[in-house]
Amino acid sequence: GENVEQHPSTLSVQEGDSAVIKCTYSDSASNYFPWYKQELGKRPQLIIDIRSNVGEKKDQRIAVTLNKTAKHFSLHITETQPEDSAVYFCAAVNQFYFGTGTSLTVIP
Amino acid sequence: DAEITQSPRHKITETGRQVTLACHQTWNHNNMFWYRQDLGHGLRLIHYSYGVHDTNKGEVSDGYSVSRSNTEDLPLTLESAASSQTSVYFCASSGGLGYEQFFGPGTRLTVL
């Protein structure tokens, strides 16, 4: 099956700084790469996704980049705010396997 | 509005008992999934279904079973609950593999 590795497991940044979370995957058939945000005690919710025919996608302060050759993709959050504090999960979809999550803390 | 619900939200049971967790979605999605979430392990896929009467094993399926008799429901059964199955369980549905998964609110299960 798919193996999705996610780094770092924890990340602390100052408010206004950027945060980057990286994921690698093993299944070359994976063609859809979503990112989910999970606030404490809540359910995961999709924040951005990218398909294999696209190298980069942006949505306001959030962007995702994909390198299919190297089998890695990254989440970029710019101008971080305290409400960005949460656990973020990546996934690589041929089937649906998630990374182990990154706990992001934005320090005011 | 379409939604996905889980019941119960909290459950305490004893080792060896059979437990069934319910998942119901009104999105009319063909794809449904069950995950467990444990600290340090993220979301691990237990079972999934691509349509009525279709079920498939995920990466941590031992001790769990599912059945899909209609589009809306995918109940998860723990045949003989073990303490290692104490976890938070999330159900999700999607319109296809390349589409967003919508998660239920989760069920916190404690096996004593």
Side-chain angles (χ1 to χ4, degrees), chain A residues 36 38 43 51 93-94 96, chain B residues 37 48 97-98 101 103-104:
Chain A
Y36 287 79
Q38 186 179 26
R43 70 189 81 185
R51 301 184 189 280
V93 180
N94 182 24
F96 231 108
Chain B
Q37 185 171 38
Y48 57 102
L97 274 185
Q101 283 195 341
F103 283 82

Side-chain angles (χ1 to χ4, degrees), chain B residues 70-86:
Chain B
N70 58 52
T71 300
E72 295 80 17
D73 299 289
L74 186 69
L76 177 71
T77 297
L78 286 68
E79 305 293 345
S80 177
S83 57
S84 60
Q85 295 176 308
T86 293

Side-chain angles (χ1 to χ4, degrees), chain A residues 32 36 38 42-44 46 51 89 93-100, chain B residues 4 35 37 42-43 45 48 59 90 97-101 103-105:
Chain A
Y32 173 63
Y36 287 79
Q38 186 179 26
K42 301 288 184 63
R43 70 189 81 185
L46 181 75
R51 301 184 189 280
F89 294 98
V93 180
N94 182 24
Q95 291 179 9
F96 231 108
Y97 290 96
F98 283 86
T100 51
Chain B
I4 180 166
Y35 296 91
Q37 185 171 38
L43 291 157
L45 184 63
Y48 57 102
E59 59 182 312
F90 284 100
L97 274 185
Y99 296 90
E100 176 180 1
Q101 283 195 341
F103 283 82

Side-chain angles (χ1 to χ4, degrees), chain B residues 11-32:
Chain B
K11 174 78 175 177
I12 300 174
T13 191
E14 295 178 343
T15 301
R17 290 189 180 268
Q18 184 180 79
V19 177
T20 296
L21 309 183
C23 175
H24 179 82
Q25 53 97 4
T26 58
W27 294 96
N28 199 34
H29 285 160
N30 283 327
N31 296 357
M32 295 185 72

Side-chain angles (χ1 to χ4, degrees), chain B residues 41-73:
Chain B
H41 291 281
L43 291 157
R44 291 185 291 176
L45 184 63
I46 305 172
H47 281 286
Y48 57 102
S49 169
Y50 291 150
V52 177
H53 303 310
D54 176 75
T55 61
N56 305 279
K57 293 181 179 180
E59 59 182 312
V60 291
S61 61
D62 287 349
Y64 302 95
S65 64
V66 294
S67 62
R68 187 89 179 271
S69 59
N70 58 52
T71 300
E72 295 80 17
D73 299 289

Side-chain angles (χ1 to χ4, degrees), chain A residues 1-6 23-27 30 71 73 92 97-100, chain B residues 59:
Chain A
E2 177 64 277
N3 181 33
V4 180
E5 294 189 0
Q6 183 172 346
C23 288
T24 61
Y25 62 98
S26 59
D27 188 349
S30 296
K71 296 182 186 173
F73 56 111
Y97 290 96
F98 283 86
T100 51
Chain B
E59 59 182 312

